[in-house]
Amino acid sequence: MHIVLHEPEIPQNAGNIARTCAVTQSVLHLIKPLGFSVEDKYLKRAGLDYWHLLDIRYYENWEDFIEKNKGAKLYMATTKAKKVYTEVEYGENDYIVFGKESAGIPEEILLQHKETSVRIPMFDEARSLNLSNSVAIILYEALRQQNFKGLLKEGQLHHYKW
């Protein structure tokens, strides 16, 4: 899977998302401008010691991202969508795009992806979920649909046996 952050603003969110991408072996795409330095201590702390497991790619802007990912199947995660994120079938190489925390994905981009825009249901008086939570919710649904291919599905106790 591919997770795309369009102009993310908060380093802690990006760090949490980076960690989620690392543990799921999902590629993280960051589209500039970023609201933080990639050297930010909060970004690094939120990602813990998982940075070496991460495939992370940077783009100068939306056009650069589109140019370098021609033919990619893009899902737009937005509170403005008509379709719920569980109503679509995700492929293992699909891209899920998330917008910046303060404004989401620009409407000009959303209009180009009406059929692949998805939302997480929530109370109508609430504006949105935290970005890193939204990524985890939708990404894990996509991975569940693929039977968590390539991921460890059972764990072991450290000091005892089940």
Side-chain angles (χ1 to χ4, degrees):
M1 295 297 306
H2 296 262
I3 297 299
V4 181
L5 303 183
H6 184 266
E7 301 180 6
E9 299 168 314
I10 301 174
Q12 295 91 330
N13 282 338
N16 287 337
I17 293 164
R19 184 176 181 181
T20 299
C21 287
V23 303
T24 61
Q25 291 294 275
S26 299
V27 179
L28 178 59
H29 303 261
L30 297 179
I31 301 174
K32 297 175 184 177
L34 308 179
F36 49 85
S37 162
V38 293
E39 300 302 318
D40 186 282
K41 67 179 180 179
Y42 297 109
L43 175 74
K44 294 204 179 287
R45 184 179 306 143
L48 292 177
D49 57 349
Y50 290 68
W51 292 102
H52 69 285
L53 300 174
L54 184 62
D55 181 351
I56 187 167
R57 302 173 190 176
Y58 298 93
Y59 305 90
E60 292 305 312
N61 51 43
W62 178 252
E63 292 74 22
D64 184 35
F65 168 77
I66 292 298
E67 176 67 27
K68 292 178 177 166
N69 294 281
K70 288 183 179 165
K73 176 106 183 231
L74 304 176
Y75 286 96
M76 301 290 154
T78 173
T79 58
K80 301 163 186 79
K82 302 279 186 195
K83 194 180 304 184
V84 173
Y85 75 100
T86 55
E87 296 175 345
V88 300
E89 289 185 34
Y90 301 94
E92 66 181 78
N93 290 311
D94 290 350
Y95 292 63
I96 308 169
V97 181
F98 297 83
K100 62 181 166 185
E101 291 90 340
S102 65
I105 300 168
E107 290 186 359
E108 298 77 26
I109 295 172
L110 292 177
L111 285 172
Q112 298 169 19
H113 302 277
K114 179 181 177 183
E115 296 305 314
T116 57
S117 289
V118 296
R119 69 173 282 118
I120 299 170
M122 63 186 80
F123 181 59
D124 66 349
E125 291 182 31
R127 192 172 63 250
S128 65
L129 283 167
N130 173 275
L131 180 60
S132 62
N133 291 340
S134 297
V135 169
I137 289 168
I138 298 176
L139 175 58
Y140 268 88
E141 169 59 17
L143 295 170
R144 182 198 66 78
Q145 288 181 13
Q146 298 161 43
N147 198 29
F148 302 107
K149 182 180 175 184
L151 301 180
L152 186 63
K153 291 188 266 184
E154 64 178 57
Q156 296 297 322
L157 299 172
H158 292 285
H159 304 289
Y160 300 95
K161 292 189 179 196
W162 286 112

